[in-house]
Amino acid sequence: MDNVASIFDRYETVRHRMPKARFGATTKAVDSLLDIAPDADAFVFDAYGVLNIGETPIAGAAQRIEQLRAAGKAIRILSNAASYTHDAATEKFCRLGIPVTPDEIVTSRDAAISGLGSGLWGCITAPADDLSDIDATICRLGDSVRDFDRVDSFLFLSTAAWTDARQDILARSLRTRPRPLIVANADLVAPREGGFSLEPGYYAHLLADANLGQLTYFGKPYPQVHQMIEATLPDTPPHRIIMCGDTLHTDILGAAARGWRTVLVTRDGLFAGTDTDSFCQRSAIHPDWRTERI
């Protein structure tokens, strides 16, 4: 899972667990989103690989967003990042020079933590996450086998402190007593400055392969986050919403399943330095447009 080919192959392997969508046969190349602005009332942006790489903003992204705002387009960010709260997500984009308001952002964490329900939740999360936005009884999971065994359900937010040893503990605990597991980030990987990080979706699909747990995935390509975006755009027809992302199986597939139109952004994210045509042909996932940067 350290190169594009292996990541793509793994997405294809688990694709039967993803929504289905219909696509056209071709993708049109455009220089920038300004070329297709007349086709949209709202632009929705993935974060990693489109607006930023880790803590580094992508050149020109903030300026393009401001140009689209000036043209009267609604702006939304739809991120599968679940390691930090909604307020922290807003602060991060502002710190990167991409000013957004809290109501312009939807994250997979937002969707996953809504209505968690009763019982004791075992949280797999980053050490810095204070979990202050979670309205449930929680137990932060570490290396204690007893903690894994005593919780009623699991919430997988982040891999920041996750290890193969902890994955083994989780698998053994679920094998002994199957329970619900909420996967708050459906991504397999995320592009970082130094390469790809493994994300909660990667580990969750390993459990699913072994028929362990009762898994529910949140974030692209699954519909809950798209429905949350649509709720903020009540007067916008789906075909007037354009999703801009760097990943075929999350950004493009999930948006197309909702009837949105799509742009694959190729220069900085998952497919950086590759021929995206071959991957589109192999997967039969064809975005409406392709551009190097937004």
Side-chain angles (χ1 to χ4, degrees):
M1 295 292 293
D2 59 355
N3 61 71
V4 175
S6 62
I7 294 165
F8 175 88
D9 288 344
R10 182 56 175 159
Y11 270 120
E12 281 289 283
T13 299
V14 301
R15 188 169 171 181
H16 63 284
R17 301 184 185 123
M18 299 178 181
K20 292 180 169 43
R22 299 179 65 179
F23 298 92
T26 60
T27 296
K28 181 179 179 180
V30 295
D31 291 331
S32 80
L33 298 187
L34 296 181
D35 296 339
I36 58 174
D39 295 291
D41 294 325
F43 282 94
V44 182
F45 297 94
D46 177 36
Y48 279 55
V50 176
L51 304 179
N52 61 290
I53 300 293
E55 297 298 318
T56 304
I58 292 174
Q63 293 85 345
R64 183 70 73 229
I65 286 176
E66 288 308 307
Q67 290 173 329
L68 294 170
R69 284 190 202 279
K73 310 304 177 182
I75 300 298
R76 299 290 185 269
I77 295 175
L78 179 53
S79 173
N80 276 8
S83 296
Y84 38 81
T85 66
H86 191 97
D87 287 345
T90 305
E91 292 167 3
K92 175 179 179 177
F93 287 113
C94 292
R95 185 174 69 250
L96 294 177
I98 305 171
V100 293
T101 59
D103 60 351
E104 291 178 320
I105 298 177
V106 169
T107 71
S108 56
R109 180 180 178 125
D110 296 333
I113 67 174
S114 61
L116 286 179
S118 61
L120 179 61
W121 285 85
C123 288
I124 301 165
T125 190
D129 187 351
D130 63 10
L131 304 174
S132 60
D133 56 339
I134 296 179
D135 183 19
T137 306
I138 57 176
C139 169
R140 188 186 294 268
L141 297 177
D143 295 316
S144 168
V145 174
R146 179 178 178 276
D147 283 344
F148 281 81
D149 289 344
R150 73 187 180 94
V151 300
D152 301 302
S153 307
F154 296 92
L155 175 62
F156 203 152
L157 294 169
S158 173
T159 58
W162 199 237
T163 64
D164 289 342
R166 291 179 179 182
Q167 177 78 2
D168 288 342
I169 295 172
L170 175 59
R172 288 198 298 270
S173 185
L174 287 172
R175 187 175 292 110
T176 301
R177 182 163 67 95
R179 281 154 288 167
L181 190 155
I182 299 297
V183 185
N185 178 349
D187 286 345
L188 300 184
V189 300
R192 310 275 181 175
E193 291 92 338
F196 297 106
S197 60
L198 296 177
E199 297 300 319
Y202 170 80
Y203 292 100
H205 282 293
L206 293 178
L207 297 172
D209 291 344
N211 295 314
L212 295 177
Q214 302 149 21
L215 278 70
T216 305
Y217 299 87
F218 286 86
K220 299 164 292 182
Y222 300 95
Q224 303 94 335
V225 287
H226 302 89
Q227 292 166 351
M228 293 175 72
I229 291 283
E230 292 167 359
T232 73
L233 301 166
D235 299 320
T236 305
H239 72 278
R240 298 286 297 177
I241 302 173
I242 295 181
M243 177 75 210
C244 309
D246 71 306
T247 306
L248 291 172
H249 293 86
T250 57
D251 301 312
I252 305 304
L253 177 62
R258 298 297 301 176
W260 301 3
R261 304 187 78 184
T262 58
V263 180
L264 182 65
V265 183
T266 62
R267 179 170 172 178
D268 302 287
L270 176 63
F271 293 109
T274 69
D275 173 19
T276 58
D277 280 336
S278 63
F279 293 106
C280 291
Q281 293 295 333
R282 287 174 55 193
S283 63
I285 298 175
H286 297 282
D288 295 291
W289 298 282
R290 178 190 295 107
T291 189
E292 288 192 1
R293 283 180 171 168
I294 64 171

